[in-house]
Amino acid sequence: MTEITRGTGARVETVVSAADVVTKARIAARAADDKKGDDILALDVADIIGIVECFVITSASNSRLVRTIVDEVERQIFEQTGEKPRAVEGLRYASWVLMDYGDLVVHVFLAETREFYGLERLWADAERVEWAS
């Protein structure tokens, strides 16, 4: 997170800007990992798509776990950056949930749905973002 400090005389004000997209992607990936997300990928797709900068892709073995991962990603990004998703799609069936943060999109799949759509094959040219400590 970027922090800007500006002072006017004796008064100093600290302004915290929104987290950069790579930081948010790492937060999302670690949150998914915390809740046992499988095969977590963070991809830099900025040069390929142009309207979004990063994808985080993960999967789970059942719809309850998909929802748990979505909740944890949303909670951790909000706690660490103050940002909420612009939209969350697919939560009703929890087969493929898409969390739209504008510059970051988090995809949480059921394992068989992820295999069927193969997003990582579609974006195979994208650079991977390291997220694990």
Side-chain angles (χ1 to χ4, degrees), residues 17-120:
S17 70
D20 66 84
V21 67
V22 172
T23 300
K24 285 190 294 190
R26 287 179 176 140
I27 293 167
R30 289 178 185 136
D33 188 52
D34 288 349
K35 293 300 179 182
K36 309 299 183 214
D38 293 325
D39 195 18
I40 302 163
L41 292 175
L43 302 173
D44 180 343
V45 294
D47 292 336
I48 300 169
I49 299 177
I51 59 171
V52 67
E53 293 183 39
C54 283
F55 280 168
V56 172
I57 304 169
T58 190
S59 51
S61 57
N62 61 65
S63 59
R64 179 176 283 164
L65 190 51
V66 167
R67 287 184 183 96
T68 299
I69 292 168
V70 168
D71 289 346
E72 187 67 8
V73 168
E74 187 171 357
R75 184 186 70 77
Q76 286 196 31
I77 288 179
F78 181 73
E79 285 181 359
Q80 295 181 48
T81 71
E83 291 185 51
K84 290 188 175 191
R86 294 177 180 186
V88 176
E89 300 293 333
L91 201 53
R92 181 175 182 188
Y93 298 108
S95 175
W96 177 359
V97 179
L98 184 144
M99 305 174 75
D100 179 3
Y101 283 90
D103 51 3
L104 168 68
V105 175
V106 179
H107 301 271
V108 185
F109 288 97
L110 279 177
E112 57 270 12
T113 306
R114 180 178 181 175
E115 185 177 327
F116 178 80
Y117 286 101
L119 286 189
E120 54 267 44

